[in-house]
Amino acid sequence: MRFHLRARAAALTVAAALGSLGLITPTASAGAQHQCTLETNAYYCYNVYAAKVYDKFDGTGKVVGYMYTTYSWFSCRLDHGGYVGGPHPNRWLLTKADNGVWGWMKDTSVSSETNPLIPCSPG
């Protein structure tokens, strides 16, 4: 019995350490999906590891960077970009890739609900 308790405690410690490093993310159930949250002038959302960031939001853009963090910040959303599928089929999110280049991430690369993000201003 003690071995099982020690093994479980060790597994929880490893999971907590990997989560704090951004190497794993919690999964949300279908009924309780995590929403993007506003923190210090940016919206934070869960996204897939190595999500692509594009220079255009029309579906023809080139990749300008990647997001290696899985809990990342975004400025705003655009709902009339190129088709990406998912619950928001034309939604793109403005962010800065891990290499420092601004660009657009597909909404389908984000596991959090992105409705809380403000719409991007024209211009």
Side-chain angles (χ1 to χ4, degrees), residues 14-103:
V14 169
L18 290 173
S20 70
L21 294 172
L23 298 176
I24 62 171
T25 58
T27 56
S29 67
Q33 185 178 22
H34 181 270
Q35 298 234 357
C36 296
T37 56
L38 180 60
E39 301 174 24
T40 320
N41 298 323
Y43 291 89
Y44 281 81
C45 312
Y46 288 101
N47 57 277
V48 299
Y49 176 78
K52 295 176 182 175
V53 178
Y54 298 85
D55 65 342
K56 297 179 184 175
F57 53 81
D58 63 4
T60 65
K62 68 176 184 172
V63 175
V64 295
Y66 296 88
M67 197 69 78
Y68 294 109
T69 53
T70 56
Y71 188 63
S72 308
W73 66 271
F74 300 87
S75 293
C76 57
R77 64 180 162 89
L78 187 72
D79 287 311
H80 56 82
Y83 181 78
V84 297
H88 310 292
N90 299 93
R91 183 172 289 176
W92 292 74
L93 309 174
L94 182 62
T95 190
K96 190 184 284 191
D98 285 347
N99 63 359
V101 177
W102 281 93

